[in-house]
């Protein structure tokens, strides 16, 4: 009899442990007193009992039961147990969200309403969030429109890559790169040599600058010794003489002015020069007509 009682007690204890263990695995804690609320959905997207509920990323409860209206007169009601300390402002919503692995959770979007709140047993409006997968699904039509263009671009790229000119261009580019490397090395060598010669160049430059400074000082001293006023007086006197000479040349009453402007005088001079030239020519041709020299006296012609 005692053995049967022990077996019965062990069986009851096992059932209790199994009950609490299953509820623990479901995420239900029987030792806490949660506040029950209802969330209505048009579609629960596979939401099940014991799914977690989060508010601002913190877990505040679990799904206890799902009430489906088979007559489809009302929305699907989800019974949830939330932490009693959580205050749900009126106007809050719930949203079913799926992660990349397909796990579902309910996010409470708490409204900013410090005066009114949803009482225990109240109804919260729910919806389904598209999430990352939904956004990717929304991009599918755009991707489908882009596929023909991508195919055309790939075909063009294949045609372009098959062109032998591309290979030649790449070969030339490789040769150019080699030339650039050689040129760079030569430039580095040249710069190194210049760096070595810079001190001597700077020394020579300083020497040249010193000589230039000395020459400038000498010029300044020579200029300081020059009597600028006397020199300018002489220059002005010379310019006055040039001006007077110019006036005399331009004066029509003067000899030079008449010579430069009187055409008759010019013609007379030309005539006189022509007569002189004729006389000289005649003198050369018949010198005996103009010069008579004889030891025995003059003879009549």
């Amino acid at each position: 009899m005692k053995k049967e009682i022990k077996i019965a007690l062990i069986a009851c204890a096992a059932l209790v442990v199994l009950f609490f263990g299953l509820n623990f695995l479901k995420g239900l804690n029987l030792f806490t007193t949660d506040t029950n609320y209802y969330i209505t959905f048009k579609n629960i997207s596979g939401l099940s009992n014991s799914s977690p509920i989060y508010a601002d990323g913190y877990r505040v409860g679990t799904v206890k039961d799902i009430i489906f209206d088979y007559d489809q007169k009302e929305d699907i009601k989800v019974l949830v147990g939330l932490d009693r300390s959580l205050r749900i402002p009126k106007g809050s919503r719930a949203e079913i969200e799926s992660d990349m692995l397909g796990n579902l959770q309910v996010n409470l979007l708490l409204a900013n309403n410090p005066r009114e709140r949803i009482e225990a047993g109240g109804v919260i409006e729910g919806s389904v969030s598209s999430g990352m997968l939904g956004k990717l699904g929304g991009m599918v039509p755009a991707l489908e429109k882009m596929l023909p263009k991508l195919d055309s671009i790939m075909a063009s790229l294949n045609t372009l890559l098959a062109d032998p000119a591309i290979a030649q261009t790449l070969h030339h580019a490789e040769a150019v790169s080699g030339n650039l490397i050689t040129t760079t090395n030569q430039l580095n060598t040249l710069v190194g040599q210049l760096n070595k010669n810079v001190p001597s160049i700077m020394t020579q430059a300083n020497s040249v600058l010193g000589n230039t400074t000395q020459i400038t000082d000498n010029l300044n001293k020579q200029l300081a010794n020059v009597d600028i006023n006397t020199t300018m007086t002489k220059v002005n006197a010379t310019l006055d003489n040039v001006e007077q000479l110019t006036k005399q040349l331009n004066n029509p009453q003067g000899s030079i002015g008449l010579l430069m402007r009187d055409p008759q005088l010019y013609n007379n001079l030309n005539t006189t020069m022509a007569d002189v030239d004729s006389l000289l020519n005649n003198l050369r041709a018949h010198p005996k007509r103009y010069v008579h020299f004889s030891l025995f006296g003059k003879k009549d012609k």
Side-chain angles (χ1 to χ4, degrees), residues 52 54 96-107 129-134:
Y54 293 90
I96 298 176
E97 184 179 8
S98 175
D99 59 14
M100 297 297 293
L101 298 178
N103 298 321
L104 297 177
Q105 68 183 35
V106 179
N107 293 327
S129 174
S130 58
M132 292 297 297
L133 295 177

Side-chain angles (χ1 to χ4, degrees), residues 5-297:
I5 294 173
K6 290 180 180 181
I7 293 172
L9 292 174
I10 293 172
C12 292
L15 290 174
V16 171
V17 172
L18 180 62
F19 176 75
F20 282 103
L22 291 175
N23 285 296
F24 178 77
L25 292 176
K26 291 180 180 180
L28 299 176
N29 192 349
L30 299 178
F31 297 101
T32 59
T33 55
D34 295 334
T35 303
N36 293 331
Y37 293 89
Y38 290 95
I39 304 176
T40 59
F41 293 98
K42 298 289 185 182
N43 184 355
I44 59 173
S45 298
L47 187 69
S48 60
N49 293 340
S50 72
S51 295
I53 300 175
Y54 293 90
D56 297 331
Y58 181 74
R59 182 167 179 170
V60 294
T62 56
V63 175
K64 289 185 175 181
D65 193 12
I66 297 175
I67 305 171
F68 181 74
D69 184 9
Y70 289 94
D71 295 331
Q72 297 184 354
K73 295 180 180 180
E74 296 180 357
D75 295 335
I76 301 174
K77 289 184 178 181
V78 176
L79 177 63
V80 297
L82 302 179
D83 192 337
R84 178 173 293 182
S85 302
L86 179 64
R87 181 183 180 279
I88 302 178
K90 194 172 183 178
S92 299
R93 298 187 305 105
E95 193 175 66
I96 298 176
E97 184 179 8
S98 175
D99 59 14
M100 297 297 293
L101 298 178
N103 298 321
L104 297 177
Q105 68 183 35
V106 179
N107 293 327
L108 286 178
L109 306 178
L110 301 177
N112 186 13
N113 187 0
R115 296 184 178 180
E116 297 178 319
R117 68 177 181 177
I118 301 175
E119 300 295 337
V123 179
I124 304 172
E125 183 181 355
S127 62
V128 178
S129 174
S130 58
M132 292 297 297
L133 295 177
K135 293 179 181 178
L136 290 175
M139 295 174 61
V140 169
L143 292 174
E144 289 179 351
K145 292 181 181 179
M146 291 176 61
L147 286 177
K149 296 181 180 179
L150 290 176
D151 291 338
S152 177
I153 292 172
M154 293 302 297
S156 300
L157 286 176
N158 290 331
T159 304
L160 182 63
L161 293 176
D163 192 350
I166 299 295
Q168 294 179 0
T169 302
L170 293 176
H171 179 70
H172 293 162
E174 184 178 1
V176 170
S177 299
N179 294 333
L180 287 175
I181 293 173
T182 303
T183 304
T184 303
N185 293 331
Q186 293 176 354
L187 286 174
N188 291 331
T189 303
L190 180 61
V191 170
Q193 293 177 355
L194 288 175
N195 290 332
K196 293 180 180 178
N197 296 329
V198 162
S200 60
I201 294 174
M202 292 301 296
T203 302
Q204 294 177 1
N206 291 330
S207 177
V208 171
L209 289 175
N211 294 333
T212 304
T213 304
Q214 185 176 1
I215 293 171
T216 304
D217 294 337
N218 294 332
L219 287 175
N220 290 331
K221 291 178 180 178
Q222 293 178 2
L223 290 175
N225 295 327
V226 174
D227 190 353
I228 301 297
N229 294 326
T230 304
T231 303
M232 293 302 300
T233 302
K234 293 180 180 179
V235 171
N236 291 330
T238 303
L239 291 176
D240 292 336
N241 294 332
V242 173
E243 184 178 0
Q244 291 178 3
L245 178 61
T246 304
K247 288 180 179 180
Q248 292 177 1
L249 291 175
N250 293 327
N251 187 6
Q253 301 301 326
S255 300
I256 298 177
L258 289 173
L259 182 63
M260 294 175 63
R261 289 180 173 81
D262 191 356
Q264 184 177 1
L265 179 60
Y266 175 76
N267 294 328
N268 292 334
L269 286 175
N270 284 337
T271 303
T272 303
M273 292 301 295
D275 293 341
V276 170
D277 185 64
S278 176
L279 178 61
L280 290 175
N281 291 330
N282 193 7
L283 180 61
R284 291 191 189 96
H286 307 283
K288 294 181 179 181
R289 292 181 181 180
Y290 302 97
V291 178
H292 298 282
F293 177 78
S294 175
L295 295 175
F296 302 98

